[in-house]
């Protein structure tokens, strides 16, 4: 399928401005008025994630209107009283990945920041892809985003995000060795990992 390029309408600064306004003032729809319980901490999480995204994009991070609405609606659902179930639908190359990944990352950074009880190895989100080829295509992008977020979290003395990919035997080939970098092949075999 031919990839189409979306129009990159909003700079990171514009996205953060719109998010800050919504986090502070809430939002309205056909069901009434809605607020965020912890808008300030949510905005801090958004700043971290969007700074990492901007750096990843060479200092010119931009989102399409579709991506911003996807990100906004995801946060409305998980951090306010919006729709809890989201379906992001668009053609090939129109930005679905950042549309959901950025919202999930903001939610994750926020969850780890506001709760001292947050267990470091707790699963926050699972990304499911319909084909292994798509996972392999998307994997490096999400890893670079998480690495960028972790640089900022480390700089600020916050807990880091951990991630795992399981596709085409990657869990055994790559992920366990990342978790246990000093383990020998023999030790990994004893753990039934290799």
């Amino acid at each position: 399928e031919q990839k189409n390029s979306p129009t990159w309408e909003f700079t990171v600064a514009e996205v953060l401005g719109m998010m800050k306004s919504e986090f502070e003032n809430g939002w309205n729809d056909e069901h009434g008025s809605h607020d965020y319980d912890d808008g300030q901490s949510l905005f801090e999480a958004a700043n971290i994630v969007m700074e990492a995204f901007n750096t990843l994009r060479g200092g010119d991070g931009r989102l399409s209107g579709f991506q911003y609405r996807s990100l906004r609606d995801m946060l409305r659902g998980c951090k306010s009283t919006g729709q809890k179930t989201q379906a992001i639908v668009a053609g090939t190359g129109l930005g679905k990945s950042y549309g959901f990944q950025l919202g999930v990352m903001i939610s994750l950074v926020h969850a780890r920041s506001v709760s001292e009880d947050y267990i470091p190895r707790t699963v926050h989100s699972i990304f499911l892809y319909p084909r292994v080829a798509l996972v392999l295509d998307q994997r490096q992008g999400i890893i670079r985003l998480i690495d960028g977020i972790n640089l900022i979290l480390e700089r600020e003395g916050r807990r880091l995000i951990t991630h795992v990919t399981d596709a085409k035997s990657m869990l055994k080939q790559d992920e366990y060795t990342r978790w246990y970098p000093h383990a020998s092949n023999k030790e990994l075999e004893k753990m039934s990992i290799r």
Side-chain angles (χ1 to χ4, degrees), residues 101-163:
Q101 290 171 355
L102 293 172
V104 168
M105 291 298 121
I106 292 169
S107 176
L108 175 57
V109 170
H110 178 255
R112 293 178 68 83
S113 298
V114 298
S115 175
E116 291 300 318
D117 298 331
Y118 191 85
I119 300 168
R121 296 284 185 207
T122 299
V123 174
H124 179 277
S125 302
I126 298 174
F127 298 164
L128 298 175
Y129 292 89
R131 290 189 273 151
V132 171
L134 186 56
V135 173
L136 299 177
D137 180 58
Q138 301 287 313
R139 182 174 187 256
Q140 288 307 313
I142 189 67
I143 288 173
R144 284 193 301 272
L145 179 61
I146 292 170
D147 287 348
I149 292 167
N150 279 339
L151 286 173
I152 299 165
L153 293 173
E154 186 173 44
R155 180 180 71 209
E156 296 184 3
R158 298 180 187 216
R159 289 178 285 177
L160 305 183
I161 295 171
T162 56
H163 59 89

Side-chain angles (χ1 to χ4, degrees), residues 1-6 90-96 131:
E1 185 176 334
Q2 180 181 350
K3 289 189 174 187
N4 298 312
S5 293
T92 302
L94 291 178
K96 292 180 297 295
R131 290 189 273 151

